[in-house]
Amino acid sequence: MMKKAILTILVLLPFVAQLALLPFVNKIGPIIFGLPFFHFWLFLWIVLTPLCTYGIYQLQKSKGGLE
């Protein structure tokens, strides 16, 4: 049951972070690593989305869902 909840969170997290939260992060300040906050947010999720996908893969693999 716990693995299914984690799996659901890992599936939905990139979608929510990249689409649903965009109106809330659409601002210039603060500047992070020379990027406006909005661009930094999108770049951050370009890096984090494959990590979420890897987590989904590992959960499925441990469940025996992959042949």
Side-chain angles (χ1 to χ4, degrees):
M1 185 68 171
M2 185 65 169
K3 283 187 179 182
K4 187 169 184 160
I6 294 172
L7 185 67
T8 303
I9 290 169
L10 287 175
V11 168
L12 292 176
L13 189 62
F15 172 76
V16 170
Q18 291 181 36
L19 294 177
L21 292 179
L22 281 186
F24 301 105
V25 300
N26 188 12
K27 47 186 147 184
I28 294 174
I31 303 294
I32 303 172
F33 299 122
L35 296 171
F37 184 72
F38 179 72
H39 290 140
F40 173 76
W41 180 263
L42 291 176
F43 181 74
L44 177 69
W45 281 100
I46 287 172
V47 173
L48 292 178
T49 299
L51 294 176
C52 290
T53 305
Y54 181 73
I56 293 166
Y57 169 75
Q58 289 298 322
L59 283 172
Q60 290 293 93
K61 187 175 160 185
S62 70
K63 220 166 58 166
L66 301 172
E67 299 292 327

